[in-house]
């Protein structure tokens, strides 16, 4: 008998109930379908899992690679499908044990049923397979093992697998709506963008660039960073906004220019959030990392913003952020030379910005008008 190989995807966030859960699974299915569309496997939802049947054996590694970058998946495993009877489960398991005997030094066997009306119980399956393993001279140990054989029984079929790959977890991108991500050319904000997507946010990137023309920003490393991030979700919007107007007006403010720049960026983000119907703003700030990221200054810069400004890196050390950046793939691009607008060399910037002074400076330079005119000059890209 031929046994189908398929990939079984388990989702995370199992506490989700009712309407939320359905929405979650629908979005996850849509995202998986889209990411795998070029391989056109058969994808179906059954009970508490999604199963993917590849067109051909050689697609399996490619499918696994894609699945490892989709948020909302808790783990996945390559499984063999057989009839939901003890006899067929035993014979297929025995075959798999034989095939893999060289790699297995100690085996753990685990079974569970999502359909409870069968005549046999999970323990009966485990007992039968332990016997098979013993006959083959295999060591079994539920605590100290290097290979786990897991059997999962549904109404008509049983799925047997000998591996389980942990995935990214999080929420499927799209389940939390849109969020504006203030993206620089640095290490931190791409990591913040990744954490935004991890909680289900579709990113609307806003980058404030130092160039005379938007086309120069589009030819810079910023779109490359965005393209690495889009491996985790293909859809995004990106606004490239020139800093020129702001710089002309704010130059005279001397040591306050940097904090005004932050207020400018957050003001832009809030305005774009309105246009895009995004409900939150993300930045890559971490408390106290640099002089501008003190509690006083964070507050002064976001005083006029009426939606939440989320900072997923707020409690992380630089080394922790760097290790995530390396893992997700943005680090190499982030450390490349780039003349970011934040490299403004404000001498002696304030570390405890005063709120009244902030308000006065914003009026002095006409920040609201600068935001509107800069936005009018922005370039919008959509994928
Ligand atoms: P990063 O590594 O993300 O550049 P940083 O440690 O350099 O952060 P800052 O320069 O103070 O810190 O920037 C703080 C945050 O402001 C960034 O994480 C990003 O969210 C936003 N930001 C900075 N520069 C820009 C920019 N040119 N365009 C859009 N947002 C920016
Ligand atoms: Mg920076």
């Amino acid at each position: 008998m031929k046994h189908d190989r398929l990939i079984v995807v388990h989702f995370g966030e199992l506490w989700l109930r009712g309407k939320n859960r359905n929405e979650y699974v629908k979005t996850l299915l849509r995202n998986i379908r889209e990411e795998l569309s070029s391989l056109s496997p058969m994808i179906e939802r059954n009970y508490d899992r999604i199963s993917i049947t590849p067109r051909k054996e050689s697609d399996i590694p490619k499918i696994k690679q894609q699945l490892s970058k989709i948020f909302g998946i808790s783990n996945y495993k390559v499984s063999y499908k057989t009839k939901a009877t003890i006899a067929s489960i035993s014979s297929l398991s025995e075959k798999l044990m034989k095939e893999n005997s060289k790699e297995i030094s100690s085996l753990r066997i685990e079974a569970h049923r999502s359909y409870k009306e069968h005549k046999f119980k999970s323990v009966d399956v485990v007992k039968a397979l332990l016997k098979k393993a013993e006959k083959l001279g295999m060591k079994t140990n539920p605590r100290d093992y290097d290979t786990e054989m897991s059997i999962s029984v549904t109404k008509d079929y049983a799925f047997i697998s000998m591996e389980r790959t942990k995935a990214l977890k999080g929420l499927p991108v799209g389940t939390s709506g849109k969020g504006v991500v203030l993206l620089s050319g640095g290490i931190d904000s791409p990591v913040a963008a990744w954490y935004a997507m991890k909680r289900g946010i579709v990113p609307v990137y806003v980058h404030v660039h130092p160039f005379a023309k938007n086309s120069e920003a589009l030819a810079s490393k910023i779109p490359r960073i965005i393209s690495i991030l889009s491996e985790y979700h293909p859809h995004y919007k990106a606004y490239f906004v020139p800093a020129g107007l702001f710089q002309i007006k704010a130059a005279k403010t001397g040591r306050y220019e940097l904090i005004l720049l932050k207020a400018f960026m957050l003001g832009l983000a809030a305005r774009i959030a309105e246009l895009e119907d995004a409900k939150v703003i993300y930045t890559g700030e971490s408390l106290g990392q640099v002089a501008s990221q003190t509690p006083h200054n964070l507050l002064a810069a976001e005083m006029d913003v009426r939606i939440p400004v989320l900072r997923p890196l707020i409690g992380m050390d630089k080394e922790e952020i760097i290790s995530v950046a390396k893992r997700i793939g943005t680090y190499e691009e982030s450390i490349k030379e780039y003349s970011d607008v934040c490299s403004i060399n404000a001498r002696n910037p304030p570390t405890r910005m005063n709120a009244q002074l902030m308000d006065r400076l914003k009026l002095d330079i006409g920040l609201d008008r600068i935001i509107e005119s800069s936005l009018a000059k922005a370039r919008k890209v959509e994928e």
Side-chain angles (χ1 to χ4, degrees), residues 184-187 340 342:
S184 73
I187 295 170
D340 214 330
C342 265

Side-chain angles (χ1 to χ4, degrees), residues 182-184 187-189 206 208 262 265 284 289 293 340-341:
L182 278 170
L183 188 74
S184 73
I187 295 170
D188 304 340
S189 42
V206 174
V208 176
K262 285 288 156 59
M265 290 176 177
Q289 190 186 87
Q293 296 175 10
D340 214 330
V341 283

